[in-house]
Amino acid sequence: MIPAQQVQEILDATRIEEVVEEFVTLRRRGVNLIGLCPFHNEKTPSFNVNPARNIFRCFGCGKGGSAVTFLMEHEHFSYVDALRWLARKYRIEIKEVERTPEQVLAQQYSDSLYIVNDFALQHFQDQLFNTDEGKSVALSYFKKRGLREETIRNFGLGYAPEQRDLLVKTAKNKGYEVETLRKLGLCSADGSRDFFRSRVMFAIHNLSGKVAAFAGRTLSADKSIPKYINSPETEIYVKNKTLFGAFQAKKAIRQLDECILVEGYMDVISLHQAGIENTVASSGTSLTEGQLQLIKRNTNNLKILYDGDPAGIKAALRGLDLALEQDMNVRIVLLPNQEDPDSFVQQHGGEAFTEYVNKNAQDFILFKTQLLLEETKGDPLKKAALIKDIVLSISKIPDPIKRSLYLRECSNLLQVDENALLSETNRLITGSIRKKAEKTARNPGAASDDDPLLAPPPETPDTFEYPTNRTSLPSVGKGDTFQERDIVRLLILYGNQMMNPEATSVASFILADIEESLGDFDEVLYGKIAQDYFQQIQNGAHPLPDHFLNHPDAAIRTLTLDIMSSPWELSPNWVEKWNYPLQNQPMPDFNFDSDARQALDRFKLRKLMKMCEINLARIRAASERGDEESMFKYMKVQQKMIEKRNQIAASVGTVILR
Ligand code: ZN
């Protein structure tokens, strides 16, 4: 725990620009500094740092806050870790107050695991470099595979000799607990034998460079011996959240804004040695969500290198929808026959490798489409299944513009009508949103907050001004915006449904009645949508949600997604605050009729109340300047409006308090 007084000391010392500059290249523009946002992909800078206010804000994605927020978002630090980082940077010595005995024990325990792993690393390296067996068996192997000594040391490569209990014995002599060795999987359960024997060793580092685990490769040609064996999972090693090489690659990935993913340890090491340092390996066939998040912390651009047969590749592709969901740009590179990244780079060199990869990188979805299309061979059933598969992948992409580009490309490749693909995609999106919303409704605590479709809108900034073409959502609750949003929601979701008995569409029903207020919305964005809709109706069209989901205006797209994802997620206190009945909870689709009537009434009520106020001001002004004629004219208007207002209020069931 850091004492409060020291927290203040750290915050006082912190300069936002100095912190951000460690991760983002900034240049000065007026009093602010700008750069490319590290939180979303962009080509023109919309990431602002304001030194005077000591805050940052991105106008593209809406992220913003203090230096602590920046570190928590960018480095995925906890609050305390962000403060520690700042304290180190500004050379403030933290005098921590006491932690609970449990915290101390947990820390001591994981420290002890790292300490023993570090001892094991030194042991394996010592065996590799300083013993005859190590030199003749293992060092010569690494050298034969083209590795330089510097690389071998940098990656913590080593050797576990044949002797059955050398590590255990050495550890005991140096005073390490055998129990800890056992916990780390370095020895047998009874503590009598070493786990890794006659193997070359690879250290698996965590992101900060500590040794979390080991992998050992046999040099024996005996097929009955497993080629690789690994440390078991422990408190310090969670396999599906670890990428081999991530520590060594971290900086390059950030600088190049791209991560290359390969399959093997040797691939990573050889590529690093050849200067291609933004390379990591997942020690399994498919990427896990935890591993993707590790990559996404540093870049959105992922290139995956495959060598292997089409069947294996097909299986690996399945995991990649996860990356699409995270809005990552995934590209696939197939290596020439019989080559893996290691052999390719050893034979042709780093430059040729980079050139090959850049030239042959294919977009993931198009690659998948082509690969699967080859297999359908004109079989219509197989093709139908393929289309479903591809559309499912596309539906995972959060960005509607990207989605529509893919739909176009794939409709060409598959020779299927683009609109058919589009409606299938939207069906899947709405379905998955609905499922998530239902899940959230059933179990509110379990809502995943990293889901881009359900993420809460970014907070409205109080310190920076928004540019006009923002993409974040307007805040709800100011002025008449709540009623306006409801109107827009009904238009987008149910605009083309029919009202009964009027036999007119929901959109015509609403818009005809509020035509004169269309230019008068408190929230410009809502007004824009209502006007857009009105225009289309006049041209005889009834736009579907697709129209707004794929609208050229990013703010409209974002809002539409939000509306589609949260039609029923109303906070209970809105009922009181905004007199908003939750009668549409269970089956919203069937209630658009009564919804539309009430929404319209509430909207008109708010606008009338506002007009009453404006008119009242006119009456007062007229009375002050003694203009009795005007005064009486305005009072008549006022009376009419009050009558109308009370009438609507009665039908909505609202008590007018003023
Ligand atoms: Zn951004």
Side-chain angles (χ1 to χ4, degrees), residues 155 203-207 210 212 237-250 253 259-265 268 272 278-284 286-298 302 328:
F155 274 89
I204 298 170
H205 297 89
N206 72 7
L207 260 193
K210 289 183 187 165
Y237 178 51
V238 181
K239 208 169 173 183
N240 64 16
K241 286 185 179 165
T242 308
L243 286 162
F244 180 79
F247 166 64
Q248 290 89 343
K250 194 166 64 172
I253 292 174
C259 175
I260 296 178
L261 182 78
V262 293
E263 281 169 74
Y265 302 130
V268 172
H272 268 258
N278 55 331
T279 311
V280 298
S282 69
S283 345
S286 61
L287 269 175
T288 65
E289 197 165 355
Q291 291 170 332
L292 270 173
Q293 263 156 16
L294 213 58
I295 296 171
K296 203 179 155 64
R297 272 190 213 177
N298 297 298
L302 176 62
M328 295 180 75

Side-chain angles (χ1 to χ4, degrees), residues 263 285 304-308 313 316-317 320 332-335 367:
E263 281 169 74
T285 37
I304 305 181
L305 265 53
Y306 287 120
D307 41 271
I313 293 169
L317 292 183
L320 289 181
I332 307 282
V333 182
L334 282 189
L335 290 172
F367 173 84

Side-chain angles (χ1 to χ4, degrees), residues 420-437:
L421 293 182
L422 177 67
S423 65
E424 178 65 12
T425 311
N426 285 334
R427 198 183 61 78
L428 286 171
I429 292 171
T430 322
S432 96
I433 288 168
R434 186 156 303 173
K435 254 187 229 151
K436 278 173 191 159

Side-chain angles (χ1 to χ4, degrees), residues 480-498:
D480 298 345
T481 50
F482 188 82
Q483 284 73 16
E484 290 170 3
R485 183 187 155 103
D486 207 27
I487 293 285
V488 167
R489 176 182 73 88
L490 286 157
L491 287 176
I492 291 179
L493 294 178
Y494 310 114
N496 57 351
Q497 305 271 10
M498 295 307 271

Side-chain angles (χ1 to χ4, degrees), residues 37 40 58 61:
C37 178
H40 82 282
C58 173
C61 64

